[in-house]
Amino acid sequence: MTGKIFTYACVAALGLLAVVLAFPTPAYPHKPITTSVQFRNEIAQIFQRKCFQCHTERNLGVSLLTYTDARPWARAIREEILERRMPPWTAVPGYGHFSNDISLTAREMEIILSWADGGAPSGVLKADEGIPPVYVPPAPLWDHGPPDQVIAVGKGQVVAASSPFEVKRFVVATGLTAPRRVHAIGLKQGDRRVVRHAAFYESGNGRWLGAWTPWQTTTHLPEGTALRLPAGAQIIVEIGYSGAEETVTDISEIGLYFGAGTDRVVEALSLGGASQTLAAGSSSHRVRSEMKLATASSALALWPAPSAGARSIEVIATTPDGVVTPLLWVKDFRPEWRSPYYLSAPVPLPIGTRLVVNTYFDNLTDQPITAKAQTWLTVARR
C-alpha cells in the first residue's frame, strides 16, 4: 500500500512539473526592481557631489547626467566603485583628513551598489528619463567668483583625437608690477573634454603654488594666509591632457585671487631625495627622504610630484617628543589623476619635527629608469 502511495505521489509531481514547464518563463527588459533606491533621488544627489565634475555632456567621462545616460552603465559603475577606481581619489582613509576629498563614503557606496544590484530604477515616468534631475553648470566656470587677474595659458594647445595622456608645460607672465599676496589660484579649461589636472609653480625657484582638478577648480588657502609672488613673476603651468573623440584646441586660463597685505605668507617645502636608477623589472623600490623643521609650522597642503613609476607615497611627521602623525598615504598613485591634498585643518608641527617621505617605485619596462621622489608640503610658520 505504501509503495502505491509513493508511486502516485511521484506521478503527480511529474505531472505538476510538466505543467510548469509548459508555461514560458517571464522575460524582463531589465533586471527586476528589488530596491527602493532611485536615480531621481539618492543617486543623482550623490553623482552631483562626486561624479558630475567629469561625467556630463562634452566632459572628460561618459555622461551620467540623466537616467537615460546612466542606466546602460549601471554594471560598469558598480565595478568601478568596487575596484575603487572611481572617483579617482587614492589617499587611504585615516591617513590625514582633506577638505577636497572626492571619495565615496561607505554609505554612498552602499546606496549606489543597492541601486545597481536592485535593477537600477529611475523613479520617474518613461517620458522624463532624459531630463536631468539636478542642476549642473553646462560649462566651466570660475567657481570662486571672478578672479582679480586672468591670464591665458599658451596660444592654443592642439590635442589630437584619442591621444594618450601627456603633460604639457607652459610659462605665463603675471605682469605684476609689485609684489602681491595671492590667496587662491584657479583654472578654467578651454575644453574640459581633454584637461585632467593642472599644477602651478613659480618660475625660477620652481616652488609649488597650487593645483587644479575637476573637483577642486580653485586652490584655496586658509583664511588669513596667502602665498607671495614677486613683481614680474612668471608661473609655470603643467596641464595633463588626454585626447577626446575628435581633435581639439585648448586655451585654458588661470585666475589669481589677491589676498590682503596683512595675510600671513605660506611656504612650500620640497620633500625630495636624490635621483636613483631603477633596474629593469624591479618593484617596490623605496626612495626615502627626510627633513627636520627649524621653526614651528602648521601643515596646510601636500602635492606628490614623483617621476614615472611611482606607486605608493607615505608622508609622516614625528615630533621631538615622539608623537607620530601620518599626513598622507597614497596607496596607488595614478599620474593621470594627480591631486593635491588640502588638509581639513592645519596640523601643528613643532620645532624639530622630522618629516619623512617614503616613495615606492616599480619599473615594469625592460630598460633602467631614473626615479625621482618629490612631494611638496605647504606650511604656515607659527
Side-chain angles (χ1 to χ4, degrees), residues 111-281:
I111 290 172
I112 296 175
L113 293 176
S114 176
W115 174 74
D117 290 335
S122 69
V124 298
L125 297 174
K126 182 72 174 177
D128 296 330
E129 290 181 350
I131 301 174
V134 295
Y135 173 74
V136 175
L141 300 171
W142 295 111
D143 292 341
H144 198 50
D148 296 304
Q149 184 171 349
V150 176
I151 309 169
V153 180
K155 297 181 179 180
Q157 176 62 44
V158 177
V159 183
S162 303
S163 57
F165 175 78
E166 185 178 10
V167 176
K168 295 292 186 179
R169 197 169 187 261
F170 309 87
V171 179
V172 300
T174 62
L176 295 177
T177 57
R180 295 300 301 263
R181 283 173 166 81
V182 177
H183 173 68
I185 303 179
L187 180 135
K188 186 167 71 172
Q189 320 97 296
D191 194 313
R192 61 181 179 176
R193 292 175 296 174
V194 296
V195 180
R196 286 182 177 265
H197 67 72
F200 316 118
Y201 303 88
E202 183 181 342
S203 180
N205 57 24
R207 67 170 175 142
W208 179 63
L209 303 175
W212 174 95
T213 62
W215 57 89
Q216 188 190 29
T217 58
T218 303
T219 290
H220 296 281
L221 292 169
E223 287 300 322
T225 62
L227 56 90
R228 183 182 183 278
L229 285 180
Q234 292 184 317
I235 297 177
I236 297 171
V237 183
E238 292 183 348
I239 299 180
Y241 287 110
S242 285
E245 293 182 354
E246 59 184 308
T247 298
V248 302
T249 300
D250 174 73
I251 304 180
S252 294
E253 299 174 315
I254 62 172
L256 303 181
Y257 299 84
F258 298 136
T262 56
D263 285 348
R264 189 165 41 146
V265 176
V266 304
E267 298 181 43
L269 306 178
S270 176
L271 309 178
S275 299
Q276 298 185 19
T277 300
L278 271 65

Side-chain angles (χ1 to χ4, degrees), residues 10 34 54 66 68 118 135 138 159 170 203 206 217 222 250 298 302 331 339 346 352:
C10 291
T34 59
C54 297
T66 70
T68 302
Y135 173 74
V159 183
F170 309 87
S203 180
T217 58
D250 174 73
S298 294
L302 298 105
K331 184 179 179 182
S339 174

Side-chain angles (χ1 to χ4, degrees), residues 74-87:
R75 184 179 295 275
I77 292 170
R78 180 183 186 277
E79 293 176 359
E80 291 292 303
I81 289 174
L82 288 176
E83 295 295 329
R84 297 186 181 274
R85 289 190 295 263
M86 287 290 161

Side-chain angles (χ1 to χ4, degrees), residues 208 266-271 291 293 297-304 315 317 327 341 343 347 349 355 357 374-380:
W208 179 63
V266 304
E267 298 181 43
L269 306 178
S270 176
L271 309 178
M291 172 186 288
L293 294 180
S297 307
S298 294
L300 304 179
L302 298 105
W303 170 248
V315 184
L327 296 178
Y341 300 92
L343 292 158
V347 176
L349 304 174
L355 298 168
V357 181
Q374 184 175 47
T375 294
W376 290 90
L377 174 66
T378 299
V379 300

Side-chain angles (χ1 to χ4, degrees), residues 22-104:
F23 287 92
T25 302
Y28 299 101
H30 295 301
K31 185 177 179 179
I33 304 301
T34 59
T35 179
S36 60
V37 177
Q38 299 175 338
F39 181 83
R40 178 191 62 179
N41 298 325
E42 298 88 346
I43 302 303
Q45 297 295 327
I46 296 173
F47 283 4
Q48 186 181 43
R49 295 192 299 270
K50 303 293 179 71
C51 305
F52 288 156
Q53 294 84 352
C54 297
H55 292 278
T56 55
E57 291 294 333
R58 297 182 66 80
N59 207 333
L60 276 172
V62 296
S63 177
L64 303 176
L65 186 56
T66 70
Y67 178 77
T68 302
D69 293 334
R71 178 61 184 86
W73 298 98
R75 184 179 295 275
I77 292 170
R78 180 183 186 277
E79 293 176 359
E80 291 292 303
I81 289 174
L82 288 176
E83 295 295 329
R84 297 186 181 274
R85 289 190 295 263
M86 287 290 161
W89 179 265
T90 54
V92 178
Y95 294 82
H97 301 280
F98 307 101
S99 60
N100 60 325
D101 187 346
I102 194 69
S103 65
L104 295 173

